[in-house]
Amino acid sequence: MASGEEVSNKQVVLRDYVSGYLKESDMCMATATITLKVPEGNSKAVLVKNLYLSCDPYIRGHTKSIQGGYADEYFKPGSPIVGYGVAKVLDSGHPDFKKDDLVWGFTGWEEYSLITATESLFKIHHTDVPLSYYTGLLSMPGMTAYTGFYEVCAPKKGEYVFVSSAFGAVGQLVGQLAKLLGCYVVGSAGSKEKVDLLKTKFGFDEAFNYKEEKDYDACLKRYFPEGIDIYFDSVGGKMLDAALLNMRLHGRIAACGMISQYEFDQPEGVHNLFNIITKRVRVEGFMVYDYYHLYPKFLDTMIPYIKEGKIVYEEDITEGLESLPSALVRLFSGKNAGKAVVVVARE
Amino acid sequence: MASGEEVSNKQVVLRDYVSGYLKESDMCMATATITLKVPEGNSKAVLVKNLYLSCDPYIRGHTKSIQGGYADEYFKPGSPIVGYGVAKVLDSGHPDFKKDDLVWGFTGWEEYSLITATESLFKIHHTDVPLSYYTGLLSMPGMTAYTGFYEVCAPKKGEYVFVSSAFGAVGQLVGQLAKLLGCYVVGSAGSKEKVDLLKTKFGFDEAFNYKEEKDYDACLKRYFPEGIDIYFDSVGGKMLDAALLNMRLHGRIAACGMISQYEFDQPEGVHNLFNIITKRVRVEGFMVYDYYHLYPKFLDTMIPYIKEGKIVYEEDITEGLESLPSALVRLFSGKNAGKAVVVVARE
């Protein structure tokens, strides 16, 4: 297609704010038209063709309208879902991006997007790793793991580290970084297959299937008889409550997400907070956006790790824009088998 | 009395671990005998005559046996309650303390105590301020306020500070230190009289009676339309839950105590923790014991403040060892009118 051409643009639209479990029927396909050119008077925008789109748990948070949800500046009912992706620049009004550049960052769940919020758009320089990695390992989830672990958890060699949602894009990497530092690492996940892979492929010392554990406190005591120094928490709720009972003196909890709570309009109560006083625990919420200035340093660490095989990575790739709703819903079923990526176009 | 003399020793004993509200009848008076000399073979101990004993909310935590209570190394049912006090040394096997020294630190609720845990015993050098201040403003509660505010909250001039239990020994000082730094300070307390004094005597910008507020969230929104940068939390529970809804970006919560929860065997659930992620809030539990190395620096700050009248202080003094149980119970009724101190002996 030629720059400036008006083309049809298939989109995945969320019908309205969602309460309770997210269902595929909360989303629908729509077709709009788009002119493949940055509009006059919007000179800093970038027009892209989306190649790989990413399904991430945080998107569920954007679909809630209740107080305490993520800022919903990214989500408006009736518009295409906003999410991370890898894209190719077709036209640019921004000096940092030019035609044919490959980029990753916030884009839309559609074939073509006009990106105006270019502050979270990154040009891809290293193309000797799979491009799809820039939806996960080398983009927001990877940076979340890296900065959450190193900047928030302040880890030390030999510490006891617990990672929930360990098979997710973030958890996989947190566990591997912790092992590379010399920590003892236990992960929780939602199936036997994931638990096995955590131990055999990702090098976790131990892993358990939380769905088979009735008493999380007893479970954590079994895996951490000496207690937990660092809890990298992506689930919140009952597992957080149990972890609080098992923290060691001066332990740290990085609050990364609360995936167990997203389906509830009123989140479950956490009862064991008194332990943060007796054990002098620091609980710190963080969002990766505050750390994007560290992205070059992150790449300097990660690219060699990937090339040397010190970091491995599992993707769950499906084909076609139409598969996004089912891929997103599958995230919350525990059935995805790695970082969920949808291929919209190969180039 | 002569050193080495055996004398009777009246004591306040806690009968057993307590669940539910603490009552005076959970404690009883007992009489033991004590030899006024450090025993042979226990050369580092100090034998003291107790002068002023301190009632502090944390003692309630020591009387619980449930998981998640404070470490109960200080409390054994049937023994005198262990608490902070000011005392005079009668005999010492410790090189840092000698006969007639005035000291403050962990002692017993009794006339005379043999103190073996001398690591939290401090010699009193400044005697040109009231000795009773060393049960509060210049001892553990004062240090709790000072280190919790400066070391945990990392405050900056102009920030919005909320202090719960603001009329307590710790809260009074936190609010005044925050005002001296140039913060906007609002305190909560349990009576109109306390609320008035917080504003008129202690210089808080605003204060409210939490017992008259039905909706803590609405209340905090009224006093903090711009949100809260720092919450110095001594109460936990529902107020913490409401504060979480009102934290500003990168806010800090110093978890100092959870006085609202001590009567519950199963603490109330806190539901709004997701806000620590969206607002990137740091919640940090602390205990003053970790900061006692800062005591000389603390005195260098506080003694001039007191002498110049920049810090004021309110005590609720009662006479006689026998009044300790009622003074302790009154702490949790909201009826005490300042730092609760019991005079056991004047010298």
Side-chain angles (χ1 to χ4, degrees):
Chain A
M1 66 261 146
S3 173
E5 188 185 350
E6 187 178 275
V7 298
S8 79
N9 191 18
K10 278 194 291 184
Q11 303 177 319
V12 180
V13 168
L14 201 72
R15 295 174 194 271
D16 202 351
Y17 291 111
V18 176
S19 65
Y21 288 97
L22 184 74
K23 303 177 300 295
E24 285 186 47
S25 60
D26 291 321
M27 293 163 270
C28 63
M29 300 304 299
T31 303
T33 58
I34 187 168
T35 303
L36 299 181
K37 192 165 174 29
V38 171
E40 298 292 328
N42 200 341
S43 60
K44 291 283 186 113
V46 178
L47 199 134
V48 301
K49 178 180 183 186
N50 293 308
L51 304 180
Y52 297 90
L53 291 172
S54 174
C55 290
D56 296 294
Y58 80 89
I59 292 175
R60 178 68 187 90
H62 283 199
T63 65
K64 300 180 76 159
S65 68
I66 61 161
Q67 193 179 33
Y70 284 105
D72 60 2
E73 63 212 73
Y74 300 116
F75 172 67
K76 290 182 188 65
S79 302
I81 290 175
V82 173
Y84 281 90
V86 171
K88 190 175 184 177
V89 175
L90 298 184
D91 187 30
S92 171
H94 195 291
D96 295 349
F97 305 100
K98 62 177 201 304
K99 189 171 184 309
D100 294 331
D101 276 352
L102 291 166
V103 294
W104 73 266
F106 261 131
T107 183
W109 282 20
E110 54 192 344
E111 291 175 288
Y112 304 96
S113 296
L114 180 71
I115 300 173
T116 53
T118 47
E119 63 278 4
S120 54
L121 203 60
F122 295 82
K123 192 165 162 177
I124 294 173
H125 297 285
H126 298 271
T127 53
D128 49 353
V129 293
L131 259 189
S132 57
Y133 281 20
Y134 289 93
T135 65
L137 189 59
L138 294 177
S139 81
M140 184 277 287
M143 271 292 282
T144 300
Y146 175 87
T147 56
F149 184 62
Y150 286 116
E151 304 293 318
V152 181
C153 296
K156 290 187 287 289
K157 184 178 173 177
E159 287 194 316
Y160 299 99
V161 177
F162 173 45
V163 184
S164 60
S165 202
F167 202 77
V170 175
Q172 282 181 13
L173 184 54
V174 171
Q176 292 181 84
L177 292 174
K179 283 307 301 175
L180 284 166
L181 186 67
C183 297
Y184 174 83
V185 185
V186 179
S188 64
S191 75
K192 183 180 183 309
E193 291 68 30
K194 291 180 183 179
V195 165
D196 289 345
L197 279 169
L198 285 174
K199 292 190 281 188
T200 56
K201 181 165 181 179
F202 295 105
F204 282 57
D205 293 288
E206 291 288 349
F208 64 88
N209 181 352
Y210 70 90
K211 292 179 178 171
E212 292 189 345
E213 299 291 341
K214 289 203 171 56
D215 181 341
Y216 290 167
D217 177 32
C219 170
L220 291 177
K221 285 192 167 48
R222 211 161 63 233
Y223 288 105
F224 294 98
E226 308 283 328
I228 299 168
D229 291 299
I230 290 173
Y231 174 34
F232 195 100
D233 180 19
S234 296
V235 304
K238 291 188 171 68
M239 191 64 86
L240 171 58
D241 229 356
L244 284 165
L245 293 175
N246 289 282
M247 295 307 291
R248 302 183 85 194
L249 215 57
H250 301 292
R252 288 132 275 151
I253 297 177
C256 175
M258 298 194 173
I259 194 170
S260 74
Q261 301 301 299
Y262 296 160
E263 80 230 44
F264 300 121
D265 286 338
Q266 164 74 327
E268 295 177 295
V270 170
H271 298 270
N272 298 319
L273 285 170
F274 193 62
N275 291 270
I276 71 173
I277 302 180
T278 55
K279 306 288 181 56
R280 292 85 140 170
V281 170
R282 172 164 58 83
V283 185
E284 191 160 343
F286 74 102
M287 287 175 83
V288 66
Y289 318 114
D290 297 332
Y291 297 97
Y292 274 155
H293 59 283
L294 299 176
Y295 188 64
K297 189 179 159 201
F298 162 77
L299 281 185
D300 289 347
T301 305
M302 291 296 292
I303 297 283
Y305 275 162
I306 293 169
K307 291 190 176 163
E308 294 161 18
K310 288 184 176 170
I311 293 281
V312 295
Y313 184 54
E314 191 82 12
E315 293 181 304
D316 184 351
I317 298 184
T318 47
E319 296 281 336
L321 194 75
E322 293 79 0
S323 66
L324 275 162
S326 62
L328 181 62
V329 169
R330 198 165 64 240
L331 265 193
F332 301 96
S333 71
K335 288 186 187 135
N336 61 306
K339 174 70 192 87
V341 184
V342 168
V343 188
V344 181
R346 297 262 171 207
E347 61 175 339
Chain B
M1 67 261 143
S3 173
E5 188 185 350
E6 187 177 275
V7 298
S8 79
N9 190 20
K10 277 194 290 184
Q11 302 177 321
V12 179
V13 167
L14 200 72
R15 294 175 194 271
D16 202 349
Y17 291 111
V18 176
S19 65
Y21 288 97
L22 183 74
K23 304 177 298 300
E24 285 186 47
S25 60
D26 290 321
M27 294 161 271
C28 63
M29 300 303 299
T31 303
T33 58
I34 187 168
T35 302
L36 299 181
K37 192 164 173 33
V38 170
E40 299 291 328
N42 200 339
S43 60
K44 289 283 185 111
V46 177
L47 199 135
V48 302
K49 180 181 183 183
N50 293 308
L51 305 179
Y52 296 90
L53 291 171
S54 175
C55 290
D56 297 294
Y58 80 88
I59 291 175
R60 179 66 188 90
H62 283 200
T63 65
K64 300 179 76 160
S65 68
I66 60 161
Q67 193 179 32
Y70 284 104
D72 61 1
E73 63 212 75
Y74 301 117
F75 172 66
K76 290 181 188 65
S79 303
I81 290 175
V82 173
Y84 280 89
V86 171
K88 190 175 184 176
V89 176
L90 298 184
D91 187 30
S92 171
H94 195 290
D96 294 351
F97 305 101
K98 63 178 198 307
K99 189 171 184 309
D100 294 331
D101 276 352
L102 291 166
V103 294
W104 72 265
F106 260 132
T107 183
W109 282 22
E110 55 192 344
E111 291 174 287
Y112 304 97
S113 296
L114 179 71
I115 300 174
T116 53
T118 47
E119 64 278 4
S120 53
L121 203 61
F122 295 82
K123 193 165 160 176
I124 295 173
H125 297 284
H126 298 272
T127 53
D128 50 352
V129 293
L131 258 189
S132 58
Y133 281 22
Y134 289 94
T135 65
L137 188 59
L138 294 177
S139 81
M140 183 277 286
M143 272 292 283
T144 300
Y146 175 86
T147 56
F149 184 61
Y150 285 116
E151 303 293 319
V152 181
C153 296
K156 289 187 287 288
K157 184 177 173 179
E159 288 195 313
Y160 299 99
V161 177
F162 174 44
V163 184
S164 59
S165 201
F167 202 75
V170 174
Q172 281 181 14
L173 184 53
V174 171
Q176 292 181 84
L177 292 174
K179 283 307 300 175
L180 284 166
L181 186 67
C183 297
Y184 174 83
V185 185
V186 178
S188 64
S191 75
K192 183 178 183 311
E193 292 68 31
K194 290 180 183 178
V195 164
D196 290 344
L197 280 169
L198 285 173
K199 291 191 281 189
T200 55
K201 180 165 182 179
F202 295 105
F204 282 56
D205 293 289
E206 290 289 348
F208 64 87
N209 180 351
Y210 69 90
K211 292 180 179 171
E212 292 188 346
E213 299 291 339
K214 288 201 172 57
D215 181 342
Y216 290 167
D217 177 32
C219 169
L220 291 177
K221 285 192 165 49
R222 210 160 66 233
Y223 288 105
F224 294 98
E226 309 283 330
I228 299 167
D229 291 297
I230 289 173
Y231 174 32
F232 195 100
D233 181 18
S234 297
V235 304
K238 292 188 170 67
M239 191 63 86
L240 172 58
D241 228 357
L244 284 165
L245 291 174
N246 289 281
M247 296 306 291
R248 303 183 83 194
L249 215 57
H250 300 292
R252 287 132 277 153
I253 298 177
C256 175
M258 298 196 172
I259 193 169
S260 75
Q261 302 301 299
Y262 297 160
E263 79 232 42
F264 300 122
D265 286 338
Q266 164 75 326
E268 295 178 295
V270 170
H271 297 270
N272 298 318
L273 285 170
F274 192 63
N275 290 269
I276 71 174
I277 301 179
T278 55
K279 306 290 180 57
R280 294 82 139 169
V281 170
R282 172 165 57 84
V283 184
E284 190 160 344
F286 74 102
M287 288 175 83
V288 65
Y289 318 114
D290 296 332
Y291 296 98
Y292 275 155
H293 59 282
L294 299 176
Y295 188 64
K297 189 179 160 202
F298 162 78
L299 281 184
D300 288 348
T301 305
M302 292 295 291
I303 297 283
Y305 275 162
I306 295 170
K307 290 187 177 165
E308 294 161 18
K310 288 184 177 169
I311 294 281
V312 295
Y313 183 55
E314 191 82 14
E315 292 181 305
D316 184 350
I317 297 184
T318 47
E319 297 280 336
L321 194 75
E322 292 79 0
S323 66
L324 275 162
S326 63
L328 181 62
V329 169
R330 198 164 66 239
L331 266 192
F332 301 96
S333 71
K335 288 186 186 134
N336 61 305
K339 174 72 192 86
V341 183
V342 169
V343 188
V344 181
R346 296 264 171 206
E347 62 176 342

